[in-house]
């Protein structure tokens, strides 16, 4: 194949795509979405779940000091057990009796479900720190161990409406950011 044949094929394909765009009335964003080229440029409102370090050894590669709202410093593991990397989608549900607060229900991918099972087993004996974009967001202890087969898992923390809105809004974008634009294959799962 000659160079001119390749250029001619490329120009023909570009002209066909341009004509399709003009005739269909699609915007560039619609085409990017259809071709799955709309990968977010950064993660926003990213959640991560970290274990407490019970006996700190000063190993800054594995441990991280965390400033608490009350001024204390807490030592947590630097690398999270679970993060937005594994959270496909989040749905809010109002907390009964607490107007303006929501419980978040997370739909995890396969690895996330296994990590949630590990996290809940460990959190029965110790508290877990939840970070939002690297700053303290909350902590929890679980009441029951996950089985690894749940479609939706509850984040046992009451979240104010403003934060809940943004966490829900950016959950899937964060998942796609960390997974190279990959959309979850199980689109039509029942809502919580």
């Amino acid at each position: 194949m000659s160079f001119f044949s390749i250029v001619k094929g490329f120009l023909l394909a570009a002209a066909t795509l341009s004509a399709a765009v003009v005739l269909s009335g699609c915007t560039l964003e619609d085409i990017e979405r259809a071709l799955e080229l709309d990968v977010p440029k950064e993660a926003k409102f990213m959640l991560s779940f970290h274990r407490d370090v019970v006996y700190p050894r000063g190993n800054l590669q594995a441990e991280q000091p965390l400033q608490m709202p009350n001024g204390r410093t807490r030592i947590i593991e630097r690398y999270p057990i679970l993060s937005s990397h594994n959270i496909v989608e989040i749905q809010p549900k109002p907390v009964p009796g607490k107007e303006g607060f929501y419980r978040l229900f997370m739909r995890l991918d396969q690895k996330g479900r296994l990590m949630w099972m590990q996290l809940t087993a460990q959190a029965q004996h110790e508290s877990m720190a939840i970070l939002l974009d690297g700053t303290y967001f909350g902590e929890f202890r679980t009441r029951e161990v996950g089985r690894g087969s749940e479609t939706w898992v509850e984040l046992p923390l009451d979240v104010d409406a403003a934060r809940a809105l943004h966490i829900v809004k950016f959950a899937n974008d964060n998942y796609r950011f960390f997974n190279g634009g990959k959309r979850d294959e199980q689109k039509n799962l029942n809502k919580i």
Side-chain angles (χ1 to χ4, degrees):
M1 229 182 188
S2 71
F3 173 74
F4 293 110
S5 297
I6 294 172
V7 171
K8 182 180 172 184
F10 176 74
L11 290 175
L12 182 62
T16 305
L17 182 61
S18 298
V21 169
V22 170
L23 294 175
S24 69
C26 291
T27 64
L28 183 58
E29 290 82 21
D30 294 335
I31 294 170
E32 284 180 344
R33 205 171 299 116
L35 297 175
E36 296 188 3
L37 299 174
D38 62 333
V39 179
K41 306 293 185 252
E42 64 179 333
K44 298 176 184 173
F45 289 87
M46 188 186 95
L47 291 172
S48 59
F49 300 82
H50 301 259
R51 288 179 37 189
D52 279 329
V53 175
V54 180
Y55 301 107
R57 291 182 173 77
N59 181 353
L60 294 179
Q61 291 179 340
E63 300 169 358
Q64 171 182 336
L66 177 65
Q67 193 65 37
M68 301 293 287
N70 63 6
R72 284 188 11 222
T73 299
R74 177 180 186 172
I75 307 297
I76 60 170
E77 290 184 352
R78 179 174 296 279
Y79 302 105
I81 292 179
L82 179 71
S83 72
S84 291
H85 187 274
N86 306 106
I87 302 171
V88 177
E89 179 182 5
I90 298 177
Q91 291 291 322
K93 194 173 185 181
V95 176
K98 286 182 85 174
E99 189 172 330
F101 284 89
Y102 294 86
R103 282 288 171 110
L104 301 178
F105 289 82
M106 305 179 295
R107 184 165 68 92
L108 305 173
D109 62 8
Q110 180 60 36
K111 181 180 176 189
R113 287 191 291 273
L114 295 174
M115 298 311 288
W116 182 258
M117 186 171 59
Q118 176 185 349
L119 181 110
T120 55
Q122 292 171 345
Q124 285 189 316
H125 307 292
E126 58 191 66
S127 63
M128 294 283 172
I130 305 170
L131 305 186
L132 180 63
D133 287 336
T135 58
Y136 178 79
F137 180 58
E139 63 184 69
F140 73 97
R141 286 181 189 252
T142 55
R143 289 181 287 264
E144 62 182 51
V145 176
R147 296 181 314 276
S149 61
E150 303 92 341
T151 303
W152 294 90
V153 295
E154 180 181 358
L155 178 61
L157 183 69
D158 296 342
V159 181
D160 63 276
R163 285 188 192 164
L165 171 75
H166 286 92
I167 291 169
V168 168
K169 178 181 176 181
F170 291 107
N172 189 257
D173 285 348
N174 290 340
Y175 179 77
R176 289 182 19 252
F177 173 78
F178 288 114
N179 291 285
K182 175 185 162 198
R183 296 182 192 273
D184 191 56
E185 61 278 354
Q186 299 174 337
K187 286 269 189 210
N188 298 321
L189 292 175
N190 295 330
K191 297 292 182 197
I192 54 169

